[in-house]
Amino acid sequence: MLNLVLFGPPGAGKGTQSALLIDKYNLVHLSTGDIFRYNMKENTELGILAKSYIEKGALVPDEVTIAMLEAEVNSNSKAKGFIFDGFPRTHKQAEALDTFLASKGTAISAMLALEVEVEELVVRLLERGKSSGRADDQNPKIIKNRIQVYDNETAILKDYYSAQNKFVGVKGVGSITDITSSLCKEIDTLI
Ligand code: AMP
């Protein structure tokens, strides 16, 4: 199996690039943010809970997020591999993912990290907010909080995957096509 963590701060382009990569490599795209938003739209119990965190730019608790992610993987039992987008975001999530994948006889192949300067992230998120309808993309204070949460809780995962020799940094600035090519070059070394 090819299991990729597509990593980077909010606005790095994880969703855009995931959508382009899944067809080429025949992978299933699991975006925890998308799954939460779907549940919010459907007003499920999970959606109502997630909303209270997402609208502040805070992380949804690990237990809830991990259980949801594992259920999604389980419901795609025929998948040839996954792109995890927006997960893991904490050390606890990364450990849970490793344990869970090991129980299925597989593992993360690599973490591909899109690297983008913070000033560019804010510009991109505010621009996306004009069309996405996402409240958390429209408020500079919430955006700042999301980036701070990334710096405080998520960025450390680079060390986690580096220790496993699985960290790959990719420049996330430039044309979408060029960034896809850089990612593909790295993925091709894994297969
Ligand atoms: P995203 O679409 O990845 O930017 O995620 C939007 C929001 O969903 C985040 O700001 C968090 O509130 C929540 N979220 C998404 N993924 C996770 C995760 N792995 N752990 C906790 N919260 C998450």
Side-chain angles (χ1 to χ4, degrees), residues 9-11 14 31-37 40 50-51 53-62 65-66 68-69 85-90 93 125 128 134 136-137 142 146 149:
K14 301 184 293 291
S31 155
T32 40
D34 284 352
I35 303 166
F36 283 134
R37 280 185 289 278
M40 280 158 62
K51 188 169 190 276
Y53 295 93
I54 292 177
E55 65 189 10
K56 289 192 229 104
L59 293 183
V60 178
D62 281 334
T65 309
I66 291 166
M68 178 184 86
L69 189 278
D85 159 6
F87 186 95
R89 261 177 154 101
T90 63
Q93 290 180 16
L125 289 169
R128 183 171 77 184
R134 281 179 58 170
D136 62 345
D137 282 346
I142 298 174
R146 288 164 65 201
V149 168

Side-chain angles (χ1 to χ4, degrees), residues 108-145:
I108 289 298
S109 314
M111 170 204 252
L112 303 169
L114 291 169
E115 293 166 341
V116 181
E117 295 295 321
V118 68
E119 294 79 13
E120 168 78 8
L121 297 173
V122 177
V123 172
R124 285 189 192 181
L125 289 169
L126 287 170
E127 190 56 37
R128 183 171 77 184
K130 289 181 195 163
S131 54
S132 71
R134 281 179 58 170
D136 62 345
D137 282 346
Q138 292 174 31
N139 180 331
K141 229 173 101 186
I142 298 174
I143 289 177
K144 218 175 125 213
N145 199 29

Side-chain angles (χ1 to χ4, degrees), residues 24-25 183-191:
K24 184 169 160 76
Y25 295 101
L183 290 168
C184 290
K185 217 156 81 188
E186 299 296 343
I187 297 169
D188 289 342
T189 67
L190 303 167
I191 51 181

